[in-house]
Amino acid sequence: MTNNIGKGFIHYKVTDPNDDPINPQSDTLRYGASVIQGKVWITFKKDMNIKLMKPLLISSFTTIDGREFNVHIVTVSKIWIDHNTLYNCEDGLLDVTRGSANVTISNNWFREQDKVILLGHDDGYVRDINMKVTFVYNHFGPNCNQRMPRIHHRYAHVANNLYLGWMQYVIDGSMGPSLKSESNLFIAPKCGSKEVTWRKIGHTNGDKWQFHSVRDAFENGASFEVTKGSVCQSQIIAKNKFFKLLMLNQ
């Protein structure tokens, strides 16, 4: 997206959180992302929640820059978040919440952050039971702490990602989450926590947990607890340095 920096770009600021897919209004995200032609750099006037009424088609050479404020896009499906660098936000870097489904997050760099990614609004929001999210070819680190991701209720497929150290843990969840971790490289920090997964003792819906590891690689003593139901079946600790690359379609 370096072509979007320099002469000739349009700076567009979103001031209205509403969404009209039939007749996009000026000052809304849809107007800036879909109507304005040319190189567009989109920022936001303030914190806002944007509920997209229809899929958002984004024009070429468009940057959506939410670094200064907390921007949450909710209740959407068939979304692809690709080739972004996200870091240093007051809250989480990326939230997929309130009934969003069929989301692919790929080729992004997440760094310098405490709480990184949240899947699902909270334990009580049952519409998130239909959520399905794929993470592929992302780079986490340096200086990421936790929630890569945190899964409420439903399913995440995490494949071919690089985790370069962490402070607390990598992946956790609640309300019967399901995880397939496949062909990732987990490089634990030299000191501190080595655990990839974290599970709060005594958490509700503990009998519905499904955390699986398939062909993952672990270095510096990184460990992964394979969980089925309320039982942690095994702990994987390995020193594999090479792993099979997967081509995923969603």
Side-chain angles (χ1 to χ4, degrees):
M1 195 57 69
T2 55
N3 289 335
N4 216 356
I5 301 175
K7 294 182 179 180
F9 77 87
I10 300 168
H11 181 198
Y12 177 87
K13 182 171 289 188
V14 178
T15 61
D16 184 351
N18 293 307
D19 182 48
D20 184 349
I22 304 300
N23 184 26
Q25 300 298 305
S26 179
D27 300 324
T28 64
L29 174 60
R30 185 176 297 275
Y31 188 91
S34 302
V35 177
I36 297 178
Q37 300 298 310
K39 301 177 181 179
V40 185
W41 194 285
I42 300 174
T43 59
F44 299 84
K45 182 179 180 180
K46 59 182 180 180
D47 293 355
M48 58 181 65
N49 289 313
I50 299 174
K51 182 177 180 180
L52 297 176
M53 307 309 295
K54 294 288 184 180
L56 177 65
L57 302 179
I58 301 175
S59 302
S60 299
F61 301 110
T62 299
T63 295
I64 300 177
D65 183 354
R67 288 176 293 177
E68 297 179 4
F69 300 99
N70 295 323
V71 179
H72 304 276
I73 301 175
V74 300
T75 319
V76 296
S77 64
K78 298 181 180 179
I79 296 296
W80 182 23
I81 301 171
D82 184 71
H83 279 93
N84 300 282
T85 299
L86 300 100
Y87 61 97
N88 195 23
C89 183
E90 289 185 5
D91 195 9
L93 291 178
L94 178 62
D95 294 350
V96 181
T97 63
R98 295 186 179 274
S100 299
N102 300 319
V103 178
T104 297
I105 300 169
S106 61
N107 297 295
N108 300 288
W109 184 13
F110 301 92
R111 59 184 177 87
E112 311 291 342
Q113 183 68 22
D114 177 16
K115 299 174 182 178
V116 182
I117 299 170
L118 176 67
L119 305 183
H121 181 61
D122 57 33
D123 287 353
Y125 198 81
V126 296
R127 286 186 62 189
D128 285 328
I129 62 175
N130 296 317
M131 178 177 294
K132 294 181 181 179
V133 182
T134 297
F135 294 86
V136 61
Y137 305 130
N138 298 289
H139 181 160
F140 293 87
N143 300 323
C144 288
N145 184 20
Q146 58 179 312
R147 298 188 179 186
M148 296 173 270
R150 175 175 174 79
I151 310 165
H152 287 291
H153 289 288
R154 202 54 174 97
Y155 175 75
H157 186 190
V158 179
N160 291 95
N161 300 284
L162 169 63
Y163 291 90
L164 188 59
W166 52 88
M167 287 174 269
Q168 287 185 257
Y169 59 84
V170 179
I171 303 170
D172 77 318
S174 60
M175 301 305 293
S178 180
L179 165 73
K180 183 177 182 180
S181 176
E182 187 169 9
S183 298
N184 300 289
L185 175 56
F186 298 100
I187 304 177
K190 292 182 179 180
C191 59
S193 174
K194 304 287 187 178
E195 296 180 6
V196 172
T197 56
W198 181 78
R199 175 173 175 160
K200 185 176 180 180
I201 297 175
H203 204 283
T204 57
N205 288 57
D207 59 335
K208 296 181 180 179
W209 283 60
Q210 301 281 345
F211 273 25
H212 300 285
S213 174
V214 181
R215 294 188 296 274
D216 285 325
F218 305 86
E219 293 191 359
N220 289 348
S223 63
F224 186 111
E225 284 193 339
V226 177
T227 306
K228 184 176 182 180
S230 59
V231 179
C232 295
Q233 292 185 315
S234 61
Q235 186 179 61
I236 300 174
I237 303 176
K239 294 183 179 180
N240 301 325
K241 293 186 178 180
F242 303 100
F243 51 99
K244 183 179 179 181
L245 293 177
L246 303 176
M247 297 302 294
L248 301 181
N249 294 314
Q250 180 169 316

